Amino acid sequence: MRVYNFSAGPAVLPEEVLKEAADEMLDYQGSGMSVMEMSHRSKTYDKIIKDAEADLRDLMNIPDNYKVLFLQGGASSQFAMIPMNLMKNKVADYIVTGQWAKKAYQEASIYGKANKIASSEDATFSYIPDCSDLPISEDADYVYICENNTIYGTKFKTLPNTKGKTLVADVSSCFLSEPVDVTKYGLIYGGVQKNIGPAGVVIVIIREDLITEDVLCGTPTMFKYKIHADNESLYNTPPAYGIYICGKVFKWLKKQGGLAAMKEYNEKKAAVLYDFLDESSLFKGTVRKEDRSLMNVPFVTGNEELDAKFVKEAAAAGFVNLKGHRSVGGMRASIYNAMPIEGVEKLVAFMKEFEKNNA
Ligand SMILES: *Cc1c(COP(=O)(O)O)cnc(C)c1O
């Protein structure tokens, strides 16, 4: 029996995709082998990775002057790869809205002058600061954000005013959850294990003029965007099976109607939970309303023992991985693209019952 998996990541994937992958496990389309066993230089695999890129370009409407790279090392390796490649003046501005942005900021400080130009740490990252007129550094190579804060459940609803500087965004936990205007960014990246595929793949979408030989001295070959761009993500063995699953998810998303349709569905789905949190006498959301994420929904009862009881009873009823991150406490429901609305409706029904029994 499959459960409703509210994990923040690795997270729920479309059942249809998993079944298809299972069907193709032993013999991928007559090749007589699994995609896992296949040369990444084979014709068969070349089609898999090329189709994946084409479908992603289609979904996100990625302009021709942007490269799509399928890399490894998780989102966390990008915390270093970004400054190593982009910090030409050795200056960058960071907006710190959570643990992931903070880690990226700290990592960048190793390579140059990273400026924290805004933060919401004063209130446990429960809101997005006003970014309409920040003190952007004159010589900043880029402005960095984490667009959706997985742990705290906040999301940038409007992008910061970077005053002409290149915007770099970690979109790990909101990747493909709604349409994006790629042209507003210099670089978009995300680990796929939140909303797209299996852990082990990180996708980088980068404007071509940002890909140069001029990187920080000592940058390892594997950490240069140029080497991966020149080799179309096949400089070395890519995370081949993971990319194959991502490709299937891209096709699944197109079948759902693309990102505009996903946004509509995600809004409807999140409203089921947020509307209940707003009227509940027991459960409360922890995030400022206007900054609420469609993907990660943290909530508390205000009583730690009751929180623990809820997480335990929910798991027994088939709603798993609802325990909140240790820095926020309470609960967190991650309701990514592949979480069906029925899962959220049933969770809310369970919460109502719990509220009645624990009044
Ligand atoms: C999970 C997550 C990361 C870290 O991803 P890894 O692939 O484990 O390195 C970074 N940023 C965000 C927003 C995340 O949700």
Side-chain angles (χ1 to χ4, degrees):
M1 190 200 81
R2 284 185 52 87
V3 293
Y4 287 113
N5 180 9
F6 293 94
S7 170
V12 58
L13 288 171
E15 215 168 287
E16 217 177 294
V17 166
L18 297 176
K19 281 187 178 145
E20 240 180 68
D23 283 345
E24 294 173 346
M25 182 59 78
L26 296 182
D27 178 6
Y28 177 75
Q29 298 189 358
S31 65
M33 63 180 87
S34 165
V35 172
M36 251 183 264
E37 303 169 300
M38 199 173 276
S39 164
H40 58 293
R41 310 272 176 213
S42 65
K43 243 185 164 160
T44 313
Y45 191 74
D46 200 58
K47 180 162 165 48
I48 292 174
I49 191 167
K50 293 269 160 53
D51 283 357
E53 178 174 341
D55 285 332
L56 181 64
R57 283 186 175 277
D58 218 19
L59 276 169
M60 291 180 73
N61 200 12
I62 300 173
D64 288 343
N65 63 325
Y66 284 74
K67 289 272 192 231
V68 173
L69 308 175
F70 295 99
L71 307 179
Q72 311 192 44
S76 299
S77 66
Q78 291 305 310
F79 298 169
M81 200 162 169
I82 289 162
M84 284 178 148
N85 285 266
L86 267 46
M87 255 189 182
K88 315 287 185 201
N89 298 328
K90 298 207 176 192
V91 179
D93 289 347
Y94 279 73
I95 298 172
V96 177
T97 52
Q99 297 286 1
W100 296 119
K102 193 173 174 181
K103 282 191 173 160
Y105 159 70
Q106 286 166 341
E107 190 76 11
S109 308
I110 299 173
Y111 304 103
K113 192 170 182 310
N115 302 305
K116 192 197 291 180
I117 55 166
S119 167
S120 51
E121 193 161 14
D122 58 337
T124 332
F125 299 119
S126 58
Y127 70 102
I128 299 289
D130 177 2
C131 297
S132 57
D133 186 19
L134 293 173
I136 307 286
S137 311
E138 197 99 351
D139 50 355
D141 292 303
Y142 58 88
V143 175
Y144 182 102
I145 61 167
C146 178
E147 194 161 332
N148 185 81
N149 297 282
T150 325
I151 296 174
Y152 304 94
T154 58
K155 160 101 204 292
F156 280 83
K157 299 294 163 78
T158 46
L159 293 174
N161 174 4
T162 65
K163 303 183 180 171
K165 302 295 182 192
T166 298
L167 179 64
V168 171
D170 174 357
V171 300
S172 295
S173 50
C174 61
F175 225 155
L176 305 180
S177 63
E178 55 182 281
V180 281
D181 180 353
V182 175
T183 63
K184 293 201 168 130
Y185 306 78
L187 190 155
I188 303 175
Y189 79 96
V192 305
Q193 74 272 26
K194 308 292 160 68
N195 207 16
I196 302 178
V201 183
V202 54
I203 297 174
V204 175
I205 301 160
I206 178 173
R207 212 177 54 224
E208 271 169 0
D209 61 280
L210 297 171
I211 306 172
T212 66
E213 298 275 14
D214 174 27
V215 297
L216 289 194
C217 179
T219 300
T221 305
M222 276 294 288
F223 266 43
K224 294 176 181 169
Y225 289 127
K226 190 160 189 332
I227 198 94
H228 296 290
D230 287 351
N231 290 280
E232 301 186 311
S233 302
L234 291 167
Y235 167 67
N236 71 325
T237 320
Y241 193 81
I243 294 167
Y244 152 78
I245 299 289
C246 290
K248 286 200 179 299
V249 172
F250 300 153
K251 288 206 191 303
W252 178 81
L253 285 167
K254 286 173 91 171
K255 228 164 74 183
Q256 308 306 304
L259 302 192
M262 275 332 287
K263 179 177 197 230
E264 202 179 309
Y265 189 68
N266 287 329
E267 279 173 345
K268 200 169 133 200
K269 192 166 59 175
V272 173
L273 185 48
Y274 283 126
D275 288 351
F276 170 67
L277 289 173
D278 288 342
E279 63 169 46
S280 170
S281 57
L282 181 63
F283 298 100
K284 280 173 288 297
T286 59
V287 167
R288 184 165 76 180
K289 271 190 192 175
E290 56 268 40
D291 300 325
R292 284 170 165 176
S293 163
L294 291 178
M295 298 282 103
N296 311 98
V297 185
F299 54 95
V300 295
T301 64
N303 173 334
E304 275 179 40
E305 268 169 43
L306 210 51
D307 287 349
K309 184 171 184 243
F310 174 78
V311 170
K312 196 168 160 222
E313 289 183 11
F319 307 102
V320 310
N321 289 323
L322 280 164
K323 192 172 175 348
H325 190 270
R326 59 193 181 279
S327 63
V328 185
M331 283 70 71
R332 171 180 47 175
S334 293
I335 50 175
Y336 295 119
N337 283 340
M339 171 60 66
I341 196 163
E342 299 77 41
V344 179
E345 285 164 352
K346 286 180 186 167
L347 172 67
V348 166
F350 179 82
M351 288 167 79
K352 283 182 179 162
E353 194 61 26
F354 186 88
E355 179 176 286
K356 212 165 68 193
N357 297 338
N358 292 275

